[in-house]
Amino acid sequence: MADTVTFLVDPLPTDASPQFLESSFREVEPGAGALAVNDLAPHRGDGVFETLAIIDGHPQEVEPHLARLVNSARLCELPEPNLDQWRLIITRAAERVPAQGEFALKLALSRGIEPGPKPTGWVHVTPGVDFTAARQRGIRVVTLDRGVAHGVGERAPWLLLGAKTLSYAGNMAALREAKRRGADDAIYISSDGYVLEGPTSSVIVRMGDRFVTPPPAAGILHGTTQRSVFAHLEAIGRTAEYRDLTVDDLRAADAAWLVSSVRMAAPIVELDGATVPLDAETTAALNAYLLSPRD
């Protein structure tokens, strides 16, 4: 068993024979030089990725993550991923880490060596960060103007706002700006005042007995964890809906969370310096669900 596992992947076409699956990837030493300098992933951020949790040996929400990988590849005009190949790699990676604890698995698909288009790929598994404090005591959040209007994703699909691309420099800059302002995280706001998403998370608010998140049409990445939470809420008889949220709606919410595949549900306890109510009971229930085996 190892705490950190890395596989270098030779992505197969969708019609590849199953006999080639096991030989299509190989384990390399974590941190070893494995990607070419002229690979379009580090060179231009030209690729897509997914991050999922492995909890007590169980890879969480594999199929939703792979479905989003396919969608991201389509939006970026990358070759369609062979899902049987990626399922096998995820399984093999999960087998290589301890059966207890939380781990983060990142899989990436690049356009490949310049000029392409033969893709390259990799999977990297690392121990999960201890998010106990964020899950239980909450996080401080600031709003940041994303600089685009609400709905720009539909008007300008070339911005790839609905794809999970490797071009995450702007998202990381937003997190650094949040920390400069004394916060833990950020929520993007459109230039016309609508709530979008966090740099690495989805926004869910409770308004009375309704749980609300912005619709994907607003120009955001459709979160796998948010969808899982909504399916769970509906299964237990709660009301969950997609609708536009203004900044004023966010500030008036009875409770709010940033949700993501590894941190799970982090309640927002402060927004732009103002206190947000902490719904401890719902937060505990959501995280109990998210930390349970989910397929």
Side-chain angles (χ1 to χ4, degrees):
M1 294 294 174
D3 285 340
T4 303
V5 176
T6 304
F7 289 142
L8 193 61
V9 180
D10 180 15
L12 297 174
T14 57
D15 59 354
S17 171
Q19 66 179 315
F20 297 120
L21 295 181
E22 286 282 4
S23 61
S24 66
F25 58 96
R26 60 184 175 88
E27 188 169 357
V28 297
E29 286 295 320
L35 287 178
V37 172
N38 60 337
D39 191 293
L40 289 165
H43 189 50
R44 293 185 177 176
D46 194 358
V48 297
F49 77 101
E50 286 291 323
T51 302
L52 58 90
I54 300 174
I55 298 178
D56 295 338
H58 186 274
Q60 301 282 74
E61 300 277 355
V62 171
E63 294 307 316
H65 280 285
L66 290 180
R68 193 169 63 180
L69 181 73
V70 169
N71 184 62
S72 294
R74 178 184 59 79
L75 291 173
C76 294
E77 300 181 60
L78 289 166
E80 182 178 350
N82 182 315
L83 296 189
D84 286 337
Q85 179 187 30
W86 289 103
R87 288 185 190 104
L88 177 63
I89 296 169
I90 291 169
T91 297
R92 293 290 180 262
E95 291 170 348
R96 292 281 291 115
V97 298
Q100 298 296 319
E102 296 182 34
F103 294 83
L105 182 152
K106 179 176 180 179
L107 58 90
L109 180 65
S110 162
R111 199 173 301 277
I113 304 297
E114 191 173 22
K118 187 180 186 307
T120 55
W122 64 93
V123 165
H124 187 54
V125 186
T126 56
V129 174
D130 184 358
F131 286 117
T132 302
R135 293 169 185 166
Q136 294 180 355
R137 296 198 293 271
I139 56 175
R140 298 165 298 167
V141 174
V142 294
T143 55
L144 297 178
D145 190 340
R146 197 170 200 171
V148 296
H150 171 255
V152 71
E154 292 182 317
R155 297 191 298 275
W158 49 87
L159 294 178
L160 301 177
L161 296 179
K164 194 172 180 70
T165 72
L166 291 167
S167 305
Y168 251 46
N171 303 63
M172 298 301 99
L175 290 176
R176 291 193 297 272
E177 178 61 24
K179 295 184 188 306
R180 274 193 288 271
R181 299 187 187 193
D184 304 300
D185 211 323
I187 292 176
Y188 287 131
I189 305 298
S190 70
S191 57
D192 47 351
Y194 289 92
V195 175
L196 298 175
E197 60 189 341
T200 62
S201 57
S202 302
V203 180
I204 296 176
V205 304
R206 183 173 65 78
M207 307 175 76
D209 60 357
R210 293 176 298 122
F211 292 82
V212 182
T213 196
I220 63 176
L221 185 70
H222 201 178
T224 56
T225 306
Q226 172 268 309
R227 281 183 283 175
S228 185
V229 166
F230 269 31
H232 170 66
L233 290 170
E234 290 171 347
I236 62 174
R238 307 297 295 270
T239 300
E241 63 182 51
Y242 294 89
R243 74 171 180 82
D244 291 334
L245 290 169
T246 66
V247 178
D248 288 340
D249 291 331
L250 181 62
R251 290 172 178 156
D254 294 301
W257 298 265
L258 290 182
V259 301
S260 56
S261 296
V262 176
R263 188 171 57 184
M264 308 304 173
I268 299 171
V269 296
E270 183 181 294
L271 180 68
D272 292 332
T275 300
V276 177
L278 170 61
D279 184 343
E281 182 179 355
T282 299
T283 297
L286 290 178
N287 280 317
Y289 163 70
L290 291 171
L291 289 165
S292 66
R294 291 178 290 123
D295 292 311

